[in-house]
Amino acid sequence: MIELARLYLLFGMPALIGCSIVWLLARKRVRLTFSDGLLLIAPCLCWFSCLMIDNNGKTMSNLVELIYLGYAVPILFAGRVVFSMRRPGASRAPATTLLASCLVAVALWAFVPGLPE
């Protein structure tokens, strides 16, 4: 379990820093929801779940996918913030962003081949 927590840092640090910067820039105009909090957990869990189901010949070099996913989450969050500022009544934007981030995690797992060590 401690190993998974260490691997989570590969995803969590870029995601947390990026999402914090986006939120600080727009905190007066956007309210955070529960789905926004799940953005820091769910994509990584989706990627880990896919990896546990079938590793597709992936090695430790494929942990770079977690870093890419950590950089993708703030980009998706920034899109959600911009969309929410343009359409304040759009209540589905946080959930849609969460779904999109999980789909990015599954796509990274599915389309990145096993990298050599």
Side-chain angles (χ1 to χ4, degrees), residues 44-110:
C44 187
L45 288 178
C46 287
W47 188 83
F48 278 135
S49 299
C50 290
L51 191 66
M52 295 301 159
I53 291 171
D54 183 21
N55 67 1
N56 286 341
K58 297 195 178 214
T59 62
M60 292 296 283
S61 297
N62 284 90
L63 291 178
V64 75
E65 294 174 26
L66 281 176
I67 298 170
Y68 294 153
L69 184 60
Y71 287 124
V73 166
I75 294 169
L76 292 169
F77 182 65
R80 172 260 197 257
V81 166
V82 169
F83 184 76
S84 294
M85 286 190 318
R86 289 185 183 206
R87 300 186 115 183
S91 62
R92 289 187 284 191
T96 304
T97 305
L98 180 63
L99 177 65
S101 66
C102 290
L103 290 175
V104 168
V106 172
L108 276 173
W109 169 80

Side-chain angles (χ1 to χ4, degrees), residues 17-54:
I17 291 169
C19 288
S20 297
I21 291 170
V22 171
W23 180 75
L24 285 173
L25 292 173
R27 69 179 176 261
K28 293 180 182 175
R29 292 175 270 179
V30 176
R31 293 186 64 192
L32 294 179
T33 64
F34 184 69
S35 296
D36 294 325
L38 285 177
L39 275 175
L40 299 175
I41 299 169
C44 187
L45 288 178
C46 287
W47 188 83
F48 278 135
S49 299
C50 290
L51 191 66
M52 295 301 159
I53 291 171
D54 183 21

